[in-house]
Amino acid sequence: MPNNRMKIHDGKLYYGSSGSVTTSSGTVSVNFAGVWDGTTNGWTTLDGGITSGYGRGLHVINDNKIYCFGNFSAIGSSNPLSYGSNFCLAEWNGTQWTSVGGTTLGNTDHEIRDVAYDSERQILYAVGRFTTIYGVSASRVASYNYNTNTWSALSGGISSTVNSCTLDSNGNLYVCGEFSGAYNGGSFLSNTRGVAKWNRTQQYWESIATGNILSSWDIFYALDTNHLYLSGSFSSVNSVPNTKLIARYHLQNQIWESIGDFTAAGDSVIYEIDYLGESNLFVSGNFISNGDDVAKFDGTTWTGHGIANGFSLNPSVGSDFTPIDMIVDGNDNIFVNRNAGGFYIKMNGDSQWNRLDQIGSNLNIITRPTINLPLSYYGSGYLYTYEELVQIGLDNGVTNSASIPILNLGTVLWKNGYVTQQMLQDRQTAYYSWMFR
C-alpha cells in the first residue's frame, strides 16, 4: 500500500484509493479522485473521478500533472475518457483527464499499483499486476518515455505482483512486492525476491538483497541520506537483527541496516512509510508494538501514536480500525484513513484522533517541506544550495507564501518559510519529483 494513495499538495489532500469517504454526516462519493481543501466543506473530485472500475492511488507532480492509476476503463464526467477495455492509468492536465502523454489508449490487462516519475529524463514508470500496458507486453513493470511517446518493457520484468516503486538520484528504479524474482531476458534472478533494482544505465535488473524477503509493501528513496527504506511483512532482511517489517539500505555502502529499536509482535505488517527526514519517519500498519498501528522514529527512538498508546478515536469505531492509508503534513499532523470509520487526523500534540471533518473550519494543511539536503542544486551551470534558495526568499520578504522567478531555475515557490516540493518547475534542473514520491 504505497503512499501514492494519498498526497498533500498546495494545501490540499488528494486521495485515490477509495470510491467514498466516511464523514460525520454520512458517506461522500469521491470516485477514487478525491480532493479535500482543508475545510469542513470537504471533498470534491477531479472531474467526477473514475466512472467504471476502481483506483489504487493518485500521484501528484503539480496542479497540471496528476496520475490516477488502478483498474478502470472510464474516468471523468464533463470530459470523459473511456476505452472498450481497461487502460488503468490516466493523466490530469489541470482541466481534464487524458491518456498518458496524449497517446492512443490501449488495453492494460490488470491493475497498476504505483507509479514514479523521473522528471529529468521525462520517464514515467508503472508497476502492478499487469502483463500488458496500453497494448504493450510488459511483465508487472513498464516505462513511458515522453520524449519518444513510447511504452517499453524493462527486460523480462517481474514474476508476480509489484506493490511499490521509487527512483534514486541517478534514475535507477527500485521495486518491491510479492514476487519471487526479476528476469533479465529469460534469465531468472532468484536473489531478487521481494525487492529488485533496475539499473537505468546498464538496462538490467540487479539484486540488493539475498532473496529472503517474502512480502514487501512500500519502498522509498531518501536523497538526503542516500538510503532506501523498505517495509512489509518480512521477518528480516539479509539476516540483519531488528529488521522485521522495516529496514533501510545504504546505497553507497551497499548494506542493510535496522532502524532504531523497532519491534513487532506476531503476525504483523507495515503497509506504509512516510519520510520527512531521517529524524521524522512515520509508519502505519498493524504491528502492535511501538504504537499498534502508527509510529514515529525521531532518529533515535520509536514513539507510538496509536490506540495502544492511549490515543483514542473520536468518534470510536469497531474493532477493525487498521490504517489502510497514511500521510503526514509539514506540521506533523498525521492523516489516516482507517478500515472502519473513515478519515481521522491526529494533530501534532493532540491526545486523540479526530475525524477529519470535525477538526474545525480550516485546518490549513501545510504543504510538505523539502528535506534540508546536504547537496546543491544546479541550474544551467549556476549553483545554489538549499540555504541560498531559502535566503533568496527571505531577501524578497517571503513570510508566508510567494513565488519568485529565479535565473535558470524557473519559478521557485515558498510556503510558510520552506521552499516547497514544486520549487523548480524546470525539468532539467537537479531538483526531481522523486524526492517526494
Side-chain angles (χ1 to χ4, degrees), residues 340-414:
F343 263 96
Y344 283 80
I345 179 173
K346 181 185 174 294
M347 303 284 285
N348 188 13
D350 276 7
S351 60
Q352 67 179 9
W353 292 84
N354 293 295
R355 190 168 274 161
L356 191 57
D357 60 334
Q358 293 181 318
I359 48 84
S361 61
N362 195 334
L363 172 62
N364 186 25
I365 299 174
I366 304 299
T367 298
R368 291 153 61 85
T370 60
I371 299 162
N372 194 349
L373 301 173
L375 304 175
S376 299
Y377 303 101
Y378 293 82
S380 303
Y382 285 75
L383 174 64
Y384 299 89
T385 65
Y386 176 90
E387 290 78 11
E388 287 170 340
L389 289 171
V390 171
Q391 190 60 50
I392 290 171
L394 295 175
D395 291 344
N396 283 272
V398 175
T399 57
N400 182 30
S401 63
S403 60
I404 303 172
I406 301 295
L407 182 65
N408 297 305
L409 294 183
T411 299
V412 179
L413 307 180
W414 286 265

Side-chain angles (χ1 to χ4, degrees), residues 11 41 65 91 95 150 152 181 186 189 193 238 264 273 285 371 426:
N41 297 332
K65 201 177 197 62
E91 182 176 335
T95 58
T150 54
S152 301
L189 281 66
R193 182 174 186 175
N238 281 26
I273 303 166
I371 299 162
D426 180 358

Side-chain angles (χ1 to χ4, degrees), residues 48 95 104 168 180 254 257 317 369 427:
T95 58
T104 303
D168 70 17
S180 57
Q254 298 183 353
E257 304 167 344
V317 296
R427 292 175 178 169

Side-chain angles (χ1 to χ4, degrees), residues 14-142:
Y14 291 80
Y15 185 51
S17 66
S18 180
S20 61
V21 173
T22 301
T23 69
S24 301
S25 56
T27 300
V28 177
S29 176
V30 295
N31 293 333
F32 307 97
V35 184
W36 189 67
D37 63 2
T39 74
T40 52
N41 297 332
W43 293 92
T44 58
T45 65
L46 297 173
D47 192 27
I50 293 174
T51 56
S52 179
Y54 63 87
R56 277 287 189 171
L58 295 174
H59 184 50
V60 182
I61 305 297
N62 55 51
D63 289 334
N64 300 317
K65 201 177 197 62
I66 299 172
Y67 297 99
C68 180
F69 52 92
N71 200 15
F72 54 87
S73 61
I75 187 170
S77 55
S78 300
N79 296 285
L81 179 69
S82 62
Y83 189 65
S85 60
N86 289 344
F87 55 92
C88 301
L89 178 63
E91 182 176 335
W92 178 256
N93 65 10
T95 58
Q96 67 183 73
W97 293 104
T98 70
S99 62
V100 173
T103 56
T104 303
L105 289 172
N107 177 59
T108 303
D109 63 354
H110 217 315
E111 68 180 18
I112 294 173
R113 290 199 165 186
D114 200 9
V115 299
Y117 182 61
D118 182 341
S119 57
E120 179 192 11
R121 299 165 188 88
Q122 299 184 54
I123 296 175
L124 175 71
Y125 293 90
V127 300
R129 302 178 67 186
F130 57 84
T131 58
T132 300
I133 184 168
Y134 270 58
V136 175
S137 294
S139 183
R140 284 88 183 190
V141 57

Side-chain angles (χ1 to χ4, degrees), residues 212 235-244 247 255-258:
N212 68 331
S235 58
S236 69
V237 179
N238 281 26
S239 301
V240 175
N242 297 322
T243 54
K244 182 176 182 179
I255 57 171
W256 285 95
E257 304 167 344
S258 62

Side-chain angles (χ1 to χ4, degrees), residues 282-299:
F282 293 82
V283 297
S284 67
N286 184 10
F287 42 84
I288 308 302
S289 301
N290 297 113
D292 88 295
D293 58 9
V294 177
K296 175 185 176 180
F297 183 63
D298 65 5

